[in-house]
């Protein structure tokens, strides 16, 4: 399994990451979103199935999660991954993610909408720190 270097684990505790997916027209679609670096060392997201990024991932599971250090923008973490989508009908993971942010994710969805857990399986990790060059 490809792992994220310890030198960049602090970035996995930040609030927001950018997720790039392949849109239906072939162009990248980039979205800022919440994420969780889970206990097993994988990054997971909770997404509403009505959103375009879920449709993009269903068609093309290849994606990139990107985080930069706000105090040092030359320090970045890029995780190229294959996304695995699993239903979260009881909001088990959504509730866990919500605890990180102090938010009730259930309240973000309209009646009848559902969520999936998106688990990112890294295929390549680029941990950059330009200040160390």
């Amino acid at each position: 399994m490809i792992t994220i270097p310890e030198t960049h684990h602090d970035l996995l505790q930040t609030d927001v990451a950018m997720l790039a997916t392949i849109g239906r027209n072939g162009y990248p679609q980039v979205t800022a979103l919440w994420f969780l670096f889970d206990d097993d060392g994988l990054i997971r997201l909770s997404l509403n199935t009505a959103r375009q990024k879920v449709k993009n991932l269903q068609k093309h599971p290849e994606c990139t999660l990107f985080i930069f250090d706000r105090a040092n923008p030359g320090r970045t973490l890029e995780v190229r991954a294959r996304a695995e989508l699993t239903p979260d009908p009881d909001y088990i993971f959504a509730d866990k993610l919500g605890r990180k942010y102090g938010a009730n994710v259930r309240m973000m969805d309209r009646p009848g909408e559902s969520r999936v857990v998106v688990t990112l399986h890294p295929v390549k990790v680029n941990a950059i720190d330009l200040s160390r060059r």
Side-chain angles (χ1 to χ4, degrees):
M1 180 169 118
I2 296 173
T3 58
I4 296 166
E6 291 281 335
T7 59
H8 285 65
H9 274 205
D10 62 310
L11 294 180
L12 296 167
Q13 303 309 314
T14 61
D15 291 338
V16 178
M18 276 46 86
L19 179 71
T21 61
I22 302 167
R24 62 179 163 219
N25 58 5
Y27 288 95
Q29 179 194 25
V30 181
T31 307
L33 46 63
W34 290 350
F35 69 97
L36 184 70
F37 184 52
D38 220 342
D39 301 332
D40 61 1
L42 292 173
I43 298 169
R44 290 194 171 81
L45 322 166
S46 177
L47 300 179
N48 181 303
T49 57
R51 303 295 187 260
Q52 184 61 47
K53 60 188 154 283
V54 172
K55 295 172 185 146
N56 293 348
L57 290 170
Q58 288 169 332
K59 188 170 182 180
H60 299 283
E62 302 82 9
C63 61
T64 298
L65 188 86
F66 184 80
I67 307 168
F68 72 95
D69 185 338
R70 292 180 188 170
N72 177 8
R75 189 166 165 266
T76 62
L77 178 64
E78 176 193 23
V79 180
R80 296 180 192 176
R82 184 165 199 80
E84 173 189 5
L85 284 70
T86 54
D88 190 16
D90 297 322
Y91 284 71
I92 302 297
F93 179 76
D95 290 341
K96 182 177 181 179
L97 179 73
R99 284 191 290 279
K100 175 183 176 183
Y101 294 94
N104 184 346
V105 176
R106 294 170 185 253
M107 300 302 294
M108 297 176 182
D109 297 341
R110 296 182 181 131
E113 292 181 337
S114 62
R115 288 205 162 248
V116 291
V117 179
V118 178
T119 303
L120 301 182
H121 297 279
V123 295
K124 183 168 178 60
V125 172
N126 291 312
I128 308 284
D129 188 346
L130 295 178
S131 65
R132 292 185 167 214
R133 291 184 176 184

